[in-house]
Amino acid sequence: MAELGKKYCVYCLAEVSPLRFRCTECQDIELCPECFSAGAEIGHHRRYHGYQLVDGGRFTLWGPEAEGGWTSREEQLLLDAIEQFGFGNWEDMAAHVGASRTPQEVMEHYVSMYIHGNLGKACIPDSIPNRVTDHTCPSGGPLSPSLTTPLPPLDISVAEQQQLGYMPLRDDYEIEYDQDAETLISGLSVNYDDDDVEIELKRAHVDMYVRKLKERQRRKNIARDYNLVPAFLGKDKREKEKALKRKITKEEKELRLKLRPLYQFMSCKEFDDLFENMHKEKMLRAKIRELQRYRRNGITKMEESAEYEAARHKRERRKENKNMAGSKRGKEEGRDGEFAAIENLPGFELLSDREKVLCSSLNLSPARYVTVKTIIIKDHLQKRQGIPSKSRLPSYLDKVLKKRILNFLTESGWISRDAS
């Protein structure tokens, strides 16, 4: 007894639940694909009768081992979508096939099965006859790929595109270089009654237009190679700060200034890579010198180098401590020797450290300095009290010494600045 829900071929009795062919003229005649293709006839059924394809949507055209498990219904929807939306619109095609298929799956299945698969090999010949050959120059002609092939769009946000007037799908700007260049050829037309002069003039217009296109493309390439668009938007500095992990030394800055003429021959990335490789070379040379120094000191393992470095740092610290102690002693001895000329004179113990330095620099004895100081301060106090006084400075005090002492007393706060 046949199991409930299953269908069987009336000719070979094979299960035909996924896909079967039903005769539209005979009753209860359902054949499997193999018997139908072989033209099987049974009872009143004949091979030329009309038929109806009965498919539950689970039948796979490429067999159960095909990747993805695409059913016949999905295959039919895929073919309808490729005819309706065209090759390359994978998102619209995936929406037409169903929510269970992503655009990536649709693209991979169509390319693998219908182009690179057996079906594509049988339908697409290896050599296409009567194909038009492109005889244009690859890099300089009017239709060269460098002019006709657009560059990949800039990686900028929508707001930045609006700020620049940039159209990413066309790689164009709202305002291009030499915006009116198209007017040279917009009104050109070839007529049969043109003479040689008119033809040459029209060719000259086309040549001028091609030159302007080349210049326009050259400027776009320069803007891309030297990152002028991110620099204009202020993104260049932020990206460099993020990307730059090491601090540029003074020597490297000077070298960059010396090599600035090379900017016109190298792109921004190539120039940065050059200095990054130079920095790596410098670090490698320093590491090689360090390893050679270890080898000269008898160190052959990296574990031993840590002990050697610790001992070397200890020796250097001891040397620094000795040098600092010697410099301190030298300063103290120098300070004592600085006042050697006046330390034995009377009045030296009455002076402060700054006054000792002043007397030593002026070559003035402490007693004479105390006398001049007393006279100047006494005159200052009398002037503040409104008592007329006539200062009688010693004869050994010239104008230079007087000015130096007055400035010193003013800075030290002994007398006011007005009085000085």
Side-chain angles (χ1 to χ4, degrees), residues 239-296:
E239 291 177 358
K240 282 187 176 180
E241 290 175 358
K242 291 181 182 178
L244 197 61
K245 299 180 181 179
R246 60 182 181 85
K247 186 178 180 181
I248 298 179
T249 61
K250 182 180 178 181
E251 293 79 7
E252 185 172 342
K253 289 181 180 178
E254 294 176 354
L255 184 59
R256 283 175 180 263
L257 291 176
K258 291 179 181 179
L259 296 180
R260 287 187 72 175
L262 294 177
Y263 283 9
Q264 57 183 327
F265 305 110
M266 305 173 66
S267 65
C268 181
K269 186 178 183 305
E270 291 174 345
F271 202 76
D272 291 338
D273 291 343
L274 171 64
F275 279 96
E276 191 66 27
N277 293 333
M278 291 173 64
H279 176 70
K280 290 180 180 179
E281 180 188 4
K282 183 179 178 182
M283 299 300 293
L284 288 174
R285 288 181 181 274
K287 187 65 177 178
I288 290 172
R289 287 195 296 270
E290 182 182 8
L291 294 176
Q292 289 175 346
R293 180 166 55 85
Y294 288 160
R295 181 60 61 89
R296 287 195 299 269

Side-chain angles (χ1 to χ4, degrees), residues 1-10 13-20 22 30 54 58:
M1 181 177 178
E3 296 182 12
L4 186 64
K6 288 187 178 182
K7 300 292 183 180
Y8 295 90
C9 176
V10 296
L13 301 181
E15 184 182 356
V16 291
S17 297
L19 179 68
R20 58 191 180 274
R22 179 182 297 168
E30 293 181 344
V54 182
R58 302 185 303 273

Side-chain angles (χ1 to χ4, degrees), residues 12-68:
C12 67
L13 301 181
E15 184 182 356
V16 291
S17 297
L19 179 68
R20 58 191 180 274
F21 293 88
R22 179 182 297 168
C23 181
T24 58
E25 300 180 15
C26 303
Q27 189 177 5
D28 297 332
I29 298 295
E30 293 181 344
L31 300 173
C32 64
E34 289 80 6
C35 294
F36 176 80
S37 61
E41 296 179 348
I42 184 172
H44 297 288
H45 174 70
R46 294 295 178 262
R47 66 181 69 182
Y48 52 82
H49 285 181
Y51 66 93
Q52 179 184 4
L53 179 65
V54 182
D55 179 16
R58 302 185 303 273
F59 177 72
T60 58
L61 295 179
W62 312 104
E65 68 278 359
E67 185 178 356

